[in-house]
Amino acid sequence: EITQRYILAVLYYSLGGSDWTVDCDFLSALHVCDWFGIDKNYFMGVTDCNEDLKVSAIMIYWNNVHGTIPDEVQFLTSLVHLNLVGGSLHGTIPDGIGNLVNLKNINFMENRLSGTVPESLSKLINLEYVTFSINENLTGDLDFLCPLENTIFQADCGGADPKISCSCCHLCCATTEHECCLVKPLPWADIGDCVQTLPPELRGEDNPFGD
């Protein structure tokens, strides 16, 4: 547990934890699997551990998160879900995330990330859902991820001035319009369906693509 506590402490400080609206009991004496909290119907923090008490899910939504995603997150090797949504995260996505071979869900929606998405993510063959949308400084081509045929992708590939090129994305978003539209069919939605991506307090409802 010492290693996990250290990595999560690094994550807390890197993400401006002292300014979080809900501290999720990070850095407390509780076991790391109990480092979570609830706000606006969002269950967040360390939201799940596996049977070996290894952290398998970190989900933080609209919790005044800011800073950068630390490289150390790659050492939480049991992670299945990594959602850091609706903050002011800047800098690049760490290349080491590509080492988290158990990941099924990556959601960095509505931040200020920049640079390009690391190609190391193409190794994550278990991915089911990935979104990098509403990060106006994140650019490049995501087609290296297209061989992951069972994955739903969402990125800033929409609008008049798309920042991302992505021929296999299901949802293409426009950063200035705060809108994502379906460009590939999904079982529960039709091509052309669009949804606003404003934070819940401005939208008055939960984000259908936020978890």
Side-chain angles (χ1 to χ4, degrees):
E1 186 192 353
I2 293 176
T3 300
Q4 290 194 114
R5 292 182 76 90
Y6 170 76
I7 297 168
L8 290 170
V10 171
L11 184 72
Y12 175 84
Y13 287 115
S14 294
L15 303 186
S18 61
D19 295 324
W20 292 358
T21 305
V22 179
D23 65 16
C24 302
D25 284 325
F26 268 61
L27 309 187
S28 73
L30 297 171
H31 191 280
V32 295
C33 295
D34 294 320
W35 287 5
F36 60 83
I38 299 174
D39 183 52
K40 297 175 183 174
N41 298 319
Y42 287 101
F43 178 49
M44 58 186 171
V46 176
T47 57
D48 200 13
C49 287
N50 63 23
E51 60 185 10
D52 296 320
L53 298 182
K54 301 295 185 183
V55 174
S56 58
I58 296 174
M59 301 186 182
I60 301 176
Y61 303 100
W62 292 284
N63 197 32
N64 200 32
V65 170
H66 57 85
T68 59
I69 303 171
D71 291 333
E72 286 83 355
V73 73
Q74 68 179 295
F75 300 115
L76 293 172
T77 55
S78 295
L79 270 182
V80 176
H81 304 280
L82 180 59
N83 293 2
L84 304 172
V85 176
S88 299
L89 294 177
H90 63 272
T92 58
I93 297 171
D95 184 72
I97 288 179
N99 297 324
L100 296 173
V101 296
N102 294 304
L103 271 180
K104 292 184 178 181
N105 185 341
I106 301 173
N107 191 341
F108 296 152
M109 185 177 182
E110 293 196 30
N111 282 288
R112 298 176 182 174
L113 296 171
S114 59
T116 59
V117 175
E119 293 195 14
S120 62
L121 270 59
S122 64
K123 299 184 295 183
L124 302 179
I125 61 173
N126 294 309
L127 281 177
E128 297 176 356
Y129 183 85
V130 179
T131 178
F132 304 117
S133 56
I134 318 300
N135 281 280
E136 61 185 33
N137 295 316
L138 198 63
T139 60
D141 191 328
L142 293 187
D143 281 0
F144 66 89
L145 292 173
C146 291
L148 302 174
E149 296 180 353
N150 297 317
T151 307
I152 297 172
F153 297 107
Q154 179 176 327
D156 293 332
C157 45
D161 183 26
K163 304 297 182 181
I164 295 285
S165 175
C166 181
S167 64
C168 54
C169 278
H170 296 78
L171 288 140
C172 279
C173 303
T175 57
T176 54
E177 291 89 345
H178 278 271
E179 183 178 70
C180 296
C181 296
L182 196 69
V183 295
K184 285 185 177 294
L186 290 172
W188 57 86
D190 297 322
I191 291 177
D193 286 353
C194 299
V195 63
Q196 292 293 310
T197 62
L198 292 170
E201 62 270 20
L202 299 180
R203 189 173 63 244
E205 60 181 334
D206 291 337
N207 186 349
F209 303 133
D211 53 37

